[in-house]
Each structure stands twice: as structure tokens, then as C-alpha cells.
């Protein structure tokens, strides 16, 4: 027989029960934190019209959309010029949220605080911490123009990561309007700003020399390139805000105030373990950002575990203009980090296994299951096709191999005329089995 390749598609994964359980606990902590801070959970479809995904300001991610072939009559009626695809899998949760708000705004609060936790898809090259299907955890605030939205999003996200035991965090933040003024101030021609920002976003990948080379190839002269890159590097290594540069650039008071507001979170003592760093090298690839932008990283991890920013213009594209701001926690990277840190699942329930001698003893076994669940345990009924001694050896082997062991586990064999108890591992509480069928 020909062996069938059973591996998942490239960039996708199968998850074992222990992995799913761990991920569920992580999601529970994040979701509980979001809800406690007044955010409301919504759901949007995995599939969006392609015309909404393309041209949404998603940057390079728009090139990574998984497109869905037209179906049935739509496909047979195509002209030579017709597109083969009309739908696509969402590449983030922000574009679907903008469409959702435009569709449902009359049923939503005047200032809408949303939660979305779900999978997104990007057809990119898989690597550590980066998959083609992955989960994002987003919170967004729509119709709040004040910087309090940014402060709420950052604070709530930091509380969630703190509850997960993630320490040694750095919140790097920037402002798109600062960048919009910094590049012309450095000598970059107005027509090259968009392309120059894309190059600057690669600073952590190709370094200062690589960025300088690409800027010059783009058409930025050497003097402007040197001034821009040296200014970025100088600011990004200092913990202090560059107020002197702000004044020299004649940066607006409103933008300076928003930058200072985010900096203040690092000084009020609430997040003492988090380093707040104004970093003009934080660009973020999404073209829809209009104001403050931020990334959250773990120092020892090497890449960010979350980020976001203000995107005031996106909703106008969907016919419902409103200011908006969001923060997304990268669930996969958080799960990977916690796995490497030997994250333990809290509140593991005791496990009771009830073996049925035959179908006639199923009713009695069910009574044991109900009683165990009432005591706060997890319980399951199993057949007893194997001899008890063999089953015990197997159970002990499984128990010893598990990464996360329940605090106690017992095995009960139920026969039609007798009950036999066998305890496996840990300390078991009293379990009354004195009754008979």
C-alpha cells in the first residue's frame, strides 16, 4: 500500500490535546482581562470580499492573501480579463473589524470597545514563531479620538501579559506624524517618503548599512540618508524623549502631547517591570496607521509579542468615518514563549477513570462519573477489554509521560457484582464507592 503523507500543509500545525489545553488557558486569561476592562467580544467571518482586503492599507500583507477561486457560474462566466478570485482569507482582524463596524454601527455603543480572538492567514514563508495560520488577540476602541484610547489599550494588554507571568517586557512606541515630519526634515523628498518608510521598517533585519544602501538606491541623497539614519539610531538608544529635536522639527504640540502621554505610563509605577522606549525605528508595516504606533517585546525572545496603533482613516473607506485605535497580542508567539518557559496550566482538575466490565455495568459506572464530576474532577468511562494488570501498566506509563499531571488520579473498575479501586499517582481524596447496583 502506498504511504499517504499525513503531515499538515506547510506553515500549518496539528495541536496535541495538552497543547490545546495550554492554549485555552492562555486565551482564558487574556479574554478575562479584556472583559474586565470593558471590552466586548465580537466575531467576524474568516472570509472577506477580496476588494475589501486589497487596498486596505495592509502593506506587504496584502500580497500574502490566500485567495479563493470563484465558484460555479461565476467561474464559467469569466471573460479573459476577469479575475479568478473574488474572496480571500483575512490576513488580520483590523480590516474585518472596520467592515463590521460600518455594517453594525447603529447597534453598537457610541464608543465601541471590541475584542476579537481568532485565526488569520498569510501565505508567507514559515519560520520560528511565524505560521501561515495563526491566532491573533485584538482589542480596539472605535470613535474615541483622545489618547486615552492608546493608554487603555496598552495598559490592558500589559495587565494580560503580567497575569500570564511574562516579565522583562519593553514597550517601544513611535508616532506616524513624527515620522511624516522627520523624513522631510532630514532631506527626504516628499514623493519618496512612503517607499523610504518601507525600507526603514527593515532596520532590525538588514541593519543600518543595509537601510542606508537601499535608501540611496531609492533616490535619497547620501547627506539626507546619513542624517536620517544617524538620528534614528541616536534616539532609539536613549530612554529620554528627544524634546530638543521635537522643537527643532517644529513638531505640533498635539503630537508631542500624545507621545508624552504614552511615556507617562512608564513613570507612574503601575508597570514598573516594563521599559517604555520612544523608538523612531518602530515603523510597523501596515499603511493604515495614522498616529501613535507601538510594539511589545520580550528582551530575551528576539521578536515582538504584540503591537498596534491608531488608524483613524480606515473606517472612512467603509463609509463610516470614525477615529480608531487597536492593540493585537500575537497569541502564537506568547504560547511559544510560555512553552519555552515551562508554563504550567493552572487549576488542573483531578482525573477519574471508570472501567466498565461490560455494557451491563455502564449504568453503575455512570453513577461514579456523576459523583466524581460533582467533586470537581474530570471523569471518563472506558471499556475493559484488556486485563486489569495490563491496563494499570498502560495508565501508569501514560501518567508518567504527561507533561501536565493532575493532582490526583484514580482508576475504578466497575463489575456487575463488585467495585474495585486502584489509585494511580498523587494523593487522592476520599472517594466513597460503598454503594452497589
Amino acid at each position: 500500500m502506498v504511504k499517504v503523507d499525513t503531515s499538515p500543509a506547510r506553515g500549518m500545525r496539528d495541536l496535541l490535546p495538552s497543547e490545546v489545553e495550554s492554549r485555552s488557558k492562555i486565551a482564558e486569561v487574556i479574554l478575562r482581562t479584556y472583559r474586565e476592562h470593558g471590552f466586548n467580544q465580537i466575531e467576524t467571518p474568516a472570509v472577506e470580499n477580496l476588494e475589501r482586503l486589497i487596498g486596505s492599507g495592509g502593506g506587504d500583507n496584502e500580497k500574502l492573501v490566500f485567495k479563493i477561486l470563484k465558484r460555479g457560474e461565476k467561474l464559467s462566466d469569466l471573460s479573459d480579463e476577469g479575475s479568478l478570485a473574488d474572496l480571500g482569507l483575512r490576513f488580520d482582524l483590523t480590516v474585518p473589524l472596520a467592515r463590521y463596524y460600518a455594517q453594525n454601527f447603529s447597534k453598537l455603543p457610541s464608543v465601541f470597545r471590541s475584542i476579537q480572538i481568532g485565526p488569520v492567514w498569510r501565505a508567507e514563508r514559515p519560520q520560528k514563531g511565524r505560521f501561515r495560520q495563526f491566532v491573533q488577540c485584538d482589542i480596539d476602541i472605535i470613535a474615541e479620538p483622545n489618547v486615552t484610547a492608546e493608554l487603555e489599550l496598552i495598559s490592558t494588554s500589559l495587565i494580560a501579559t503580567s497575569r500570564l507571568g511574562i516579565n522583562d517586557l519593553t514597550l517601544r512606541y513611535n508616532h506616524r506624524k513624527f515620522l511624516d515630519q522627520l523624513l522631510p526634515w532630514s532631506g527626504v523628498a516628499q514623493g519618496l517618503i512612503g517607499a523610504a518608510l518601507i525600507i526603514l521598517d527593515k532596520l532590525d533585519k538588514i541593519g543600518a548599512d543595509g537601510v542606508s544602501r537601499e535608501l540611496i538606491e531609492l533616490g535619497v541623497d547620501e547627506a539626507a540618508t546619513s542624517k536620517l539614519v544617524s538620528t534614528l539610531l541616536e534616539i532609539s538608544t536613549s530612554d529620554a524623549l528627544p524634546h530638543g529635536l521635537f522643537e527643532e522639527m517644529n513638531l505640533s504640540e498635539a503630537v508631542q502631547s500624545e507621545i508624552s502621554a504614552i511615556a507617562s505610563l512608564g513613570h507612574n509605577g503601575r508597570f514598573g517591570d516594563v521599559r517604555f522606549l520612544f523608538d523612531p525605528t518602530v515603523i510597523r508595516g501596515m499603511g493604515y496607521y495614522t498616529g501613535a504606533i507601538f510594539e511589545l517585546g520580550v528582551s530575551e525572545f528576539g521578536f515582538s509579542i504584540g503591537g498596534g496603533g491608531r488608524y483613524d482613516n480606515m473606517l472612512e473607506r467603509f463609509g463610516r468615518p470614525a477615529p480608531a485605535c487597536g492593540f493585537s497580542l500575537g497569541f502564537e508567539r506568547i504560547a511559544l514563549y510560555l512553552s519555552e518557559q515551562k508554563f504550567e496550566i493552572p487549576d488542573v482538575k483531578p482525573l477519574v477513570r471508570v472501567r466498565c466490565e461490560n455494557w451491563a455495568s455502564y449504568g453503575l459506572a455512570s453513577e461514579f462519573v456523576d459523583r466524581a464530576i460533582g467533586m470537581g474532577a474530570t471523569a471518563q468511562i472506558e471499556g475493559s477489554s484488556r486485563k486489569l494488570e495490563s491496563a494499570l501498566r498502560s495508565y501508569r506509563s501514560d501518567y508518567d509521560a504527561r507533561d501536565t499531571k493532575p493532582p490526583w488520579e484514580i482508576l475504578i473498575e466497575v463489575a456487575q457484582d463488585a467495585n474495585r479501586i486502584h489509585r494511580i499517582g498523587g494523593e487522592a481524596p476520599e472517594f466513597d464507592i460503598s454503594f452497589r447496583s
Side-chain angles (χ1 to χ4, degrees):
M1 186 174 71
V2 178
K3 179 175 172 57
V4 177
D5 181 7
T6 58
S7 58
R10 188 165 178 262
M12 313 289 186
R13 294 168 300 157
D14 293 327
L15 296 171
L16 297 173
S18 60
E19 293 174 308
V20 172
E21 180 71 12
S22 177
R23 290 163 66 91
S24 296
K25 292 296 182 183
I26 294 169
E28 285 175 15
V29 172
I30 295 171
L31 182 58
R32 183 177 72 250
T33 304
Y34 288 171
R35 284 177 168 162
E36 286 175 355
H37 288 79
F39 292 87
N40 298 293
Q41 190 168 14
I42 66 169
E43 291 189 9
T44 57
V47 174
E48 293 283 349
N49 287 339
L50 200 56
E51 62 184 15
R52 293 174 186 150
L53 295 173
I54 304 299
S56 61
D60 286 343
N61 292 321
E62 293 185 9
K63 302 174 184 176
L64 305 175
V65 173
F66 279 102
K67 298 178 181 179
I68 299 174
L69 193 69
K70 286 183 176 178
R71 300 142 310 280
E73 294 181 1
K74 287 185 177 182
L75 186 59
S76 62
D77 292 343
L78 283 178
S79 65
D80 291 339
E81 293 80 22
S83 171
L84 290 173
D86 59 346
L87 300 173
L89 293 175
R90 62 191 183 192
F91 60 79
D92 74 356
L93 298 176
T94 306
V95 177
L97 172 64
R99 180 205 52 78
Y100 174 97
Y101 180 80
Q103 174 70 16
N104 299 287
F105 81 100
S106 63
K107 307 169 191 173
L108 300 173
S110 57
V111 175
F112 182 46
R113 302 161 68 96
S114 75
I115 304 169
Q116 282 191 95
I117 299 179
V120 299
W121 294 263
R122 296 177 190 171
E124 57 187 345
R125 184 171 62 86
Q127 51 188 292
K128 181 180 179 181
R130 189 182 295 272
F131 307 96
R132 288 180 168 177
Q133 175 180 319
F134 55 97
V135 173
Q136 287 187 335
C137 302
D138 283 19
I139 44 175
D140 294 79
I141 300 177
I142 298 178
E144 173 55 77
N146 194 283
V147 72
T148 53
E150 282 89 332
L151 302 183
E152 269 286 85
L153 294 166
I154 293 171
S155 297
T156 304
S157 300
L158 290 177
I159 291 170
T161 53
S162 174
R163 288 178 173 179
L164 290 169
I166 303 177
N167 301 308
D168 196 21
L169 291 167
T170 298
L171 192 286
R172 299 161 57 232
Y173 60 98
N174 195 5
H175 203 291
R176 275 297 177 92
K177 291 179 181 177
F178 167 75
L179 289 173
D180 290 343
Q181 287 187 229
L182 177 66
L183 270 66
W185 175 84
S186 300
V188 179
Q190 195 69 38
L192 299 178
I193 289 178
L197 286 174
I198 293 174
I199 295 173
L200 292 175
D201 199 29
K202 297 188 283 187
L203 186 61
D204 60 337
K205 300 180 181 68
I206 63 176
D209 291 341
V211 166
S212 297
R213 184 169 53 253
E214 291 196 14
L215 286 172
I216 292 171
E217 291 174 357
L218 177 66
V220 180
D221 65 54
E222 291 189 19
T225 295
S226 177
K227 183 177 182 181
L228 174 61
V229 173
S230 62
T231 301
L232 291 176
L233 294 178
E234 180 182 352
I235 298 173
S236 64
T237 57
S238 172
D239 287 337
L241 292 179
H243 292 293
L245 177 62
F246 293 165
E247 296 302 322
E248 188 176 341
M249 290 170 51
N250 197 28
L251 188 65
S252 75
E253 289 292 333
V255 174
Q256 290 192 53
S257 176
E258 291 175 8
I259 293 173
S260 296
I262 296 174
S264 71
L265 284 178
H267 303 308
N268 65 14
R270 191 180 184 194
F271 305 109
D273 295 333
V274 181
R275 182 188 182 195
F276 283 73
L277 179 63
F278 177 70
D279 186 351
T281 67
V282 174
I283 309 295
R284 296 194 61 80
M286 301 300 192
Y288 50 64
Y289 288 123
T290 59
I293 48 179
F294 23 82
E295 286 189 355
L296 183 63
V298 183
S299 300
E300 63 189 80
F301 208 35
F303 46 70
S304 68
I305 60 169
R310 181 165 286 277
Y311 52 97
D312 283 347
N313 297 336
M314 180 184 286
L315 278 80
E316 184 174 352
R317 179 171 177 263
F318 292 92
R320 285 293 166 193
C325 192
F327 197 117
S328 176
L329 287 177
F331 186 83
E332 306 299 341
R333 291 183 173 182
I334 288 176
L336 175 62
Y337 172 79
L338 291 175
S339 173
E340 292 181 353
Q341 300 299 311
K342 306 301 181 185
F343 171 72
E344 294 185 1
I345 302 172
D347 304 322
V348 178
K349 290 185 176 183
L351 174 62
V352 174
R353 299 173 185 266
V354 182
R355 277 167 45 98
C356 277
E357 184 178 71
N358 53 47
W359 67 265
S361 60
Y362 186 85
L364 179 58
S366 298
E367 293 184 42
F368 278 96
V369 166
D370 292 344
R371 182 173 300 181
I373 292 173
M375 293 173 61
T378 297
Q380 62 191 52
I381 297 177
E382 305 170 349
S384 59
S385 56
R386 289 181 296 175
K387 290 184 178 180
L388 179 59
E389 292 76 12
S390 173
L392 282 169
R393 284 196 299 272
S394 174
Y395 289 148
R396 290 192 181 101
S397 175
D398 289 346
Y399 182 84
D400 293 338
R402 280 198 301 273
D403 292 333
T404 304
K405 300 184 175 85
W408 56 272
E409 175 177 343
I410 66 176
L411 170 65
I412 301 170
E413 173 139 309
V414 179
Q416 286 180 269
D417 58 352
N419 307 316
R420 295 183 291 276
I421 302 178
H422 301 273
R423 302 181 187 278
I424 305 174
E427 292 295 325
E430 291 300 320
F431 194 82
D432 179 14
I433 58 154
S434 60
F435 64 88
R436 292 288 186 271
S437 57

